[in-house]
Amino acid sequence: MAATARLRITCPDRPGIVSAVTTFLYTHGANIIDLDQHSTDPEGGTFFMRLEFYTPYMDVSRSALEAAFGEVVGNRFAMDWRLSYSDEPKRTAVLVSRHDHCLMELLWRYTRQELPCELAMVIGNHEDPREAVERFGVPYHCVPVGDGGMAEAETRMAELLGPDIDLVVLARYMRVLSADFLRPYDTRVINIHHSFLPAFVGADPYRQAHEKGVKLIGATAHYVTAELDAGPIIEQDTARVTHRHSVADLKGMGSELERTVLARAVTWHLEDRVIVFGNKTVVFR
């Protein structure tokens, strides 16, 4: 398929934004194939837009298009905007511990070309996932948390990730990452939380849920911030449960939710469908 470009925009809402953007792209030979928008309030609110267009027939280079868009449209409407391209997939790394169900879902989708990224590596703090990961042709690195603690492990992981990783996915990585480690990856680290936030933090959440007699269990995918489990939420889902479900039943149902919720969130991020606004997200599905 021909390459497409994705334009995401956040700006103060006012008349003429859609017209200005689409007219600019039309004059440079872009063929718009998808456009979605949202405003928090038409009178003085914030405007969000995601637009995707074919690029083969543009009359200028990508760099020239970006420079011209900023000058002609972006500055005029005080936009925070970003352009990305489908033929420049994001370099992605996955962090995992022993629970590998979310990891395996991502690897399976990646091999089926349903995860539009370059999966550069998987990093785990145990050797357990190595054989499964390497069967998919993806490099695996084991960085245990030894006597030097998380600080030493984070230093080694940062060396492995290098400066060119665009997204880090925590596929049930059961260690808390420091603010220093997270700082270079602002809104570029996605975690899956084994509850419908905020609920049942800490160890063995499904046993806690079972003991409380819950009627719903869930999973939450969110961006990671220095405040634990408090980053902007990308996707959530739930399943109904009854008194007949055991702890094992809840764990099985929860694992299924975790796999699908994380995969959806990662895919939407890779397809540039998410705009972070404060501690919230606008997700154009």
Side-chain angles (χ1 to χ4, degrees):
M1 294 182 63
T4 63
R6 300 148 180 169
L7 174 62
R8 289 174 295 166
I9 294 170
T10 304
C11 66
D13 200 359
R14 55 180 272 200
I17 298 171
V18 175
S19 175
V21 172
T22 56
T23 299
F24 173 87
L25 293 174
Y26 168 75
T27 60
H28 289 289
N31 181 20
I32 297 170
I33 58 172
D34 188 41
L35 189 155
D36 203 350
Q37 65 190 71
H38 171 69
S39 178
T40 60
D41 185 346
E43 298 292 335
T46 302
F47 178 83
F48 306 91
M49 183 164 71
R50 179 190 184 272
L51 185 151
E52 189 165 6
F53 57 93
Y54 280 126
T55 60
Y57 307 110
M58 292 194 307
D59 61 0
V60 293
S61 67
R62 293 178 179 183
S63 58
L65 182 79
E66 293 172 17
F69 181 83
E71 182 178 341
V72 175
V73 183
N75 294 342
R76 175 183 168 193
F77 290 95
M79 290 178 176
D80 178 7
W81 61 275
R82 288 187 173 83
L83 257 174
S84 58
Y85 302 93
S86 64
D87 60 359
E88 296 177 359
K90 295 176 176 61
R91 281 177 53 80
T92 301
V94 179
L95 272 58
V96 68
S97 292
R98 282 198 170 101
H99 298 289
D100 65 356
H101 53 287
C102 291
L103 168 66
M104 298 306 292
E105 181 74 21
L106 295 175
L107 288 168
W108 181 77
R109 294 188 183 216
Y110 177 69
T111 58
R112 290 176 59 88
Q113 299 183 324
E114 295 177 8
L115 210 61
C117 68
E118 176 191 345
L119 190 49
M121 68 187 76
V122 174
I123 300 175
N125 54 359
H126 300 281
E127 283 287 350
D128 303 48
R130 178 183 294 278
E131 183 179 352
V133 172
E134 291 180 344
R135 280 203 302 267
F136 284 91
V138 177
Y140 182 80
H141 305 278
C142 184
V143 181
V145 180
D147 295 339
M150 274 303 293
E152 184 179 282
E154 287 183 348
T155 298
R156 175 57 183 149
M157 288 193 293
E159 292 172 353
L160 290 168
L161 295 172
D164 299 323
I165 290 294
D166 301 303
L167 175 66
V168 177
V169 181
L170 308 185
R172 293 299 304 272
Y173 183 71
M174 307 304 289
R175 292 283 181 170
V176 177
L177 298 170
S178 70
D180 288 341
F181 181 86
L182 295 170
R183 192 166 293 115
Y185 303 104
D186 182 40
T187 65
R188 291 189 294 123
V189 180
I190 297 176
N191 184 40
I192 184 66
H193 193 279
H194 44 229
S195 72
F196 190 62
L197 287 174
F200 304 122
V201 298
D204 210 349
Y206 294 110
R207 182 168 296 281
Q208 294 181 56
H210 187 264
E211 290 171 353
K212 293 292 185 182
V214 301
K215 306 307 179 190
L216 285 173
I217 61 170
T220 301
H222 63 95
Y223 289 112
V224 179
T225 62
E227 185 179 355
L228 185 64
D229 296 329
I233 291 171
I234 306 168
E235 172 66 336
Q236 295 180 290
D237 203 355
T238 60
R240 296 201 65 84
V241 298
T242 74
H243 58 280
R244 299 184 186 278
H245 289 100
S246 66
V247 174
D249 293 333
L250 267 58
K251 288 182 178 180
M253 296 167 67
S255 294
E256 175 68 21
L257 287 170
E258 291 166 19
R259 291 200 302 268
T260 56
V261 168
L262 180 61
R264 286 199 295 262
V266 171
T267 300
W268 294 339
H269 178 96
L270 294 171
E271 293 177 346
D272 301 296
R273 297 184 179 277
V274 185
I275 298 177
V276 177
F277 182 63
N279 201 49
K280 297 181 179 180
T281 60
V282 175
V283 182
F284 294 118
R285 305 189 220 181

